[in-house]
Amino acid sequence: MKLIRQRESLGAEQDYRRALAILDAARGGVTEPVLRVYQPRPTVAFGRRDELNPGFAHARQAAVDAAFTPLVRRVGGRAAAYHGGCLVIDHVEPDPDPKTGIQDRYRLFGDMVVAALEELEVPAQVGEIPGEYCAGEYSVHAPGTAEDPRRPVKLAGTAQRVVAGVWYFSTVLVVEEAEPLRAVLEDVYAALDVPWEPSTAGCVADVRPGTTVAEVEEALLDVYGRYSAYMGYGRVVGGGER
């Protein structure tokens, strides 16, 4: 499995296009699975449902006003926000029958994020919590925070795209500084007139104070290394890329 550790975000649109370029390369005959990890610039990623919402123009402007770049993605549900305190994990893998394993991949990669967090003694589980932003059955959440053990918070969301001969699975894991994300999402969801519960927007550091992006990345790559070995790909190898 080839690892691309992108040293710097290229910007919201360019980062997304890079993922699609990797997908196109795999569809064009490249057989090696690719794992790409990077810390994004401040972005609000909207779904197609958001783009069709009468309040989209106001929601888009709310993102811009908060210094977040708006992006409409081809996969995923409602609006999600991320920044440099997050990790984006893009996994592209050739598969002769990519449609068959869609639900299995959601379960597997959600469990892998949970396993990585558990290595850092962060309790987490897969499943939607009431009122979460960009709600999904396979979100990763913590049952409580360090300040309030009874307040569940969403830590990661996943999305998937399937084309002939290949699939693309993307995970956004929020590690540090949840407050700017919560603030922009409050404005964006108000403009879209979509109800949600702002307290569900959290991060790993809310659960285990002091946790850094670097620590979480190391734990995730360790888990992906085991996945790669299990699948017979050998080690996760690669290097940095600008």
Side-chain angles (χ1 to χ4, degrees):
M1 175 177 281
K2 179 181 179 181
L3 170 65
I4 299 174
R5 181 47 173 106
Q6 188 174 304
R7 292 195 186 102
E8 295 181 6
S9 170
L10 305 172
E13 189 66 38
Q14 294 88 337
D15 283 335
Y16 188 56
R17 287 179 182 174
R18 178 65 177 129
L20 297 181
I22 295 171
L23 179 67
D24 288 340
R27 184 166 47 182
V30 176
T31 59
E32 185 178 37
V34 175
L35 184 68
R36 174 177 173 245
V37 182
Y38 66 96
Q39 292 167 248
R41 293 183 188 174
T43 303
V44 173
F46 293 94
R48 282 287 293 153
R49 289 173 65 194
D50 297 323
E51 190 178 30
L52 299 173
N53 186 297
F56 176 68
H58 293 294
R60 187 181 187 282
Q61 188 60 47
V64 172
D65 291 344
F68 280 71
T69 300
L71 171 74
V72 178
R73 62 191 187 277
R74 301 181 192 176
V75 295
R78 292 291 189 178
Y82 41 89
H83 56 22
C86 304
L87 273 177
V88 177
I89 306 101
D90 289 337
H91 185 163
V92 177
E93 190 162 325
D95 188 328
D97 186 17
K99 291 183 179 181
T100 298
I102 290 175
Q103 298 305 316
D104 290 340
R105 285 190 290 273
Y106 275 116
R107 284 187 286 268
L108 171 63
F109 294 122
D111 286 344
M112 286 170 62
V113 171
V114 168
L117 293 175
E118 287 179 343
E119 287 190 6
L120 298 173
E121 300 183 347
V122 176
Q125 53 194 269
V126 176
E128 182 179 341
I129 55 177
E132 71 177 27
Y133 66 94
C134 194
E137 181 182 356
Y138 298 102
S139 297
V140 175
H141 69 272
T145 67
E147 291 188 354
D148 186 352
R150 297 172 297 178
R151 179 170 73 90
V153 290
K154 180 171 182 171
L155 303 178
T158 56
Q160 187 171 185
R161 186 176 180 207
V162 171
V163 297
V166 64
W167 48 261
Y168 159 40
F169 196 96
S170 186
T171 302
V172 177
L173 176 55
V174 186
V175 182
E176 304 175 52
E177 299 182 25
E179 180 53 40
L181 304 178
R182 188 160 45 243
V184 70
L185 287 173
E186 285 193 81
D187 293 340
V188 164
Y189 275 74
L192 295 172
D193 195 26
V194 174
W196 74 298
E197 175 47 62
S199 67
T200 63
C203 66
V204 177
D206 290 338
V207 184
R208 180 179 178 260
T211 304
T212 65
V213 172
E215 287 179 291
V216 174
E217 180 183 346
E218 182 178 359
L220 275 168
L221 291 182
D222 179 62
V223 171
Y224 267 95
R226 282 179 258 157
Y227 166 85
S228 181
Y230 177 78
M231 297 297 290
Y233 301 141
R235 295 183 300 117
V236 178
V237 297
E241 178 182 277
R242 286 192 178 274

